[in-house]
Amino acid sequence: MRALVTGGAGFVGSHMVRTLLEQGHHVVVLDDLSTGHADAVDARATFVNGDVGRTAEVASLLREERVEAVFHFAAKIRVEESVVDPRLYFQGNLVATLAFLEAVVDARLPLIFSSTAAVYGVPDEVPIDEEHPKRPVNPYGDTKLAVERALEAYGRAYELPWCALRYFNAAGADAEAGLGERHEPESHLIPIVLDAALGRRPSVSVFGTDWPTSDGSCVRDYIHVLDLAEAHLAALEHLRRGGKSGAFNLGTGRGHTVLEVIAAAERVSGRRIPVVSADRRAGDPAELVAKVERAEKAFGWRARRTSLDDIVRDAWAWKLRDGRQS
Ligand code: UFG
C-alpha cells in the first residue's frame, strides 16, 4: 500500500510511519515541522516539508505518489495553548484540515483521522463510550469535534470512507527505533515526570490532590503509542474491507492516577521523584477512561501493551537515549 502520513514528524505520526514501513508499505510524510522533528522521520519514507492546508499541492502529491490511503495526524495538540491562542487551532486544525479534505475527497481515498477524548469534555460517567455526549471544554476539542462532524457529512454525501480515532492519553515510545515523545515546551505528564527523575526539573506539580478519585489525583487512560499505530492500520483495513465509517475510542479501558504514574516512574527509573501539590488545572476532568469495545468489535483491535510500568519503561528508555543525544 502507498500511504500518506501527515504529521509524520510528530510523536504519534512518527510511530505510525515506522509501523507502516515495517509492514512493507510505501510511506509519504507531509509535515511542516512547526512542532514535529525532522530527525523523527524514518529515512525510508519520502519526506515533504509542506502545509496540509494547501489543497492544490496536496492534490498533486496524492496523484504523483499514487497514494491509496491517508493518515491525518498533523495538528496542534496543546489544550492550554488552544485557550490562549484559539486562532492557531481553528486555523491549523479546522480550516487547514477542511482544505486538506478537499483533495482527499476528490481522490476518494480512505482517511484515518486523529481525534481525541477531548471531544467528550467533562464526562457524565466513565468509562466513556462513543455515544457519550460531545461537549468539548476547550478550542482544541472544539476543532477536533468540528472535523469529525465534517467527516460524518462528507462521508455520507461524497462516499468518503473515514475513521476518527479518539485517543485517550498517548504515551510510551519505540526507543529502539529512536522514537519518543518530545514537546516544546513539555506539557504532558509522563515526559515531565521522567524529566524530574533525570533531575532536569526540580519536581513534578500534581494538579489537584482533592479530586474524587482513589488518591485525590486525576485518572487518565494511558495508551502505548505502538498500540495506537496498530489501531490505525486495523481501522484502515476495516475501511478497505468495506467496513462502516465512524468514530472509535482508543484506550486501554483502565485508568491510572497521576500519583500512580509517578510511583511507576520511580519503580522503573529507580530514582526518587520530588512531588509538589498544586492547584487543579483549568479544564481538567477528574477521570477519563475509554470504553474500548467498539474498536474491538469493528476491527479486532485491543491494546496489548497495557501495563503502566511497561509504558513508562519504554518512555524512560527513550528519555535516556534522548538525553544522550541532547
Ligand atoms: N498533570 C499533572 N502535572 C503536570 C502535568 C500533568 O498533574 O505537570 C496531570 C494533568 O492534570 C492530568 C494528567 O496529569 O490529570 C495528564 O495530563 P497531560 O497533560 O499529560 O494529558 P491530558 O489528560 O491533559 O491531555 C491528554 C492529551 C490531550 C487531550 C486530552 C483529552 O494530551 O491532547 O488528553 O483527551 F486533549
Side-chain angles (χ1 to χ4, degrees):
M1 169 177 72
R2 301 176 67 86
L4 174 68
V5 179
T6 74
F11 172 43
V12 188
S14 60
H15 287 80
M16 183 78 237
V17 169
R18 179 160 166 93
T19 298
L20 286 164
L21 289 165
E22 289 299 303
Q23 302 213 2
H25 301 297
H26 176 84
V27 180
V28 181
V29 171
L30 176 60
D31 197 305
D32 66 2
L33 298 181
S34 57
T35 52
H37 305 271
D39 63 4
V41 180
D42 196 299
R44 293 169 290 175
T46 302
F47 176 64
V48 179
N49 186 338
D51 181 348
V52 298
R54 295 182 192 273
T55 308
E57 287 168 29
V58 173
S60 17
L61 188 64
L62 295 176
R63 241 188 345 263
E64 280 157 22
E65 290 289 342
R66 290 176 285 118
V67 170
E68 296 162 288
V70 175
F71 298 89
H72 183 38
F73 293 90
K76 303 243 165 251
I77 61 152
R78 289 178 49 214
V79 171
E80 279 168 311
E81 182 183 57
S82 79
V83 175
V84 177
D85 201 354
R87 291 198 297 189
L88 275 181
Y89 285 72
F90 282 93
Q91 287 292 341
N93 289 3
L94 179 57
V95 175
T97 294
L98 294 179
F100 178 71
L101 287 179
E102 289 298 294
V104 176
V105 166
D106 286 347
R108 295 223 167 175
L109 295 174
L111 173 85
I112 309 295
F113 171 65
S114 299
S115 189
T116 169
V119 299
Y120 299 114
V122 180
D124 296 333
E125 53 186 16
V126 287
I128 307 167
D129 75 23
E130 288 85 350
E131 296 308 312
H132 184 284
K134 270 53 104 195
R135 294 178 303 236
V137 291
N138 50 62
Y140 169 69
D142 286 330
T143 61
K144 289 288 182 177
L145 181 58
V147 172
E148 284 199 16
R149 295 260 154 88
L151 289 173
E152 273 166 31
Y154 289 16
R156 267 195 300 273
Y158 312 125
E159 293 172 33
L160 171 78
W162 62 277
C163 285
L165 302 182
R166 296 178 182 151
Y167 313 162
F168 280 64
N169 286 60
D174 186 351
E176 275 175 37
L179 299 176
E181 192 171 5
R182 290 184 265 176
H183 303 108
E184 282 150 21
E186 191 50 74
S187 59
H188 289 72
L189 179 66
I190 293 177
I192 285 177
V193 167
L194 297 179
D195 279 342
L198 282 169
R200 291 184 191 165
R201 290 175 183 262
S203 59
V204 177
S205 299
V206 177
F207 298 146
T209 49
D210 55 354
W211 294 98
T213 60
S214 60
D215 61 21
S217 63
C218 285
V219 171
R220 293 289 181 272
D221 182 338
Y222 295 91
I223 166 118
H224 199 292
V225 63
L226 290 174
D227 279 328
L228 287 181
E230 287 171 9
H232 286 67
L233 255 184
L236 178 70
E237 280 156 16
H238 160 78
L239 292 178
R240 282 158 68 100
R241 281 194 304 269
K244 229 169 136 237
S245 296
F248 299 89
N249 287 340
L250 297 185
T252 65
R254 290 221 316 258
H256 297 283
T257 67
V258 172
L259 294 174
E260 284 167 359
V261 170
I262 296 169
E266 289 192 324
R267 277 193 298 277
V268 162
S269 66
R271 303 185 188 197
R272 207 183 67 77
I273 299 170
V275 168
V276 175
S277 295
D279 288 344
R280 292 180 175 190
R281 189 170 67 175
D284 262 349
E287 203 166 337
L288 286 177
V289 178
K291 237 182 169 217
V292 293
E293 284 71 18
R294 186 186 279 188
E296 181 163 26
K297 273 201 196 109
F299 44 83
W301 172 86
R302 210 178 170 91
R304 296 192 288 141
R305 302 159 182 89
T306 53
S307 139
L308 179 63
D309 281 30
D310 289 349
I311 291 173
V312 172
R313 190 173 293 108
D314 285 352
W316 177 241
W318 155 253
K319 272 283 169 199
L320 292 177
R321 194 188 155 112
D322 190 35
R324 278 202 303 274
Q325 283 166 352
S326 58

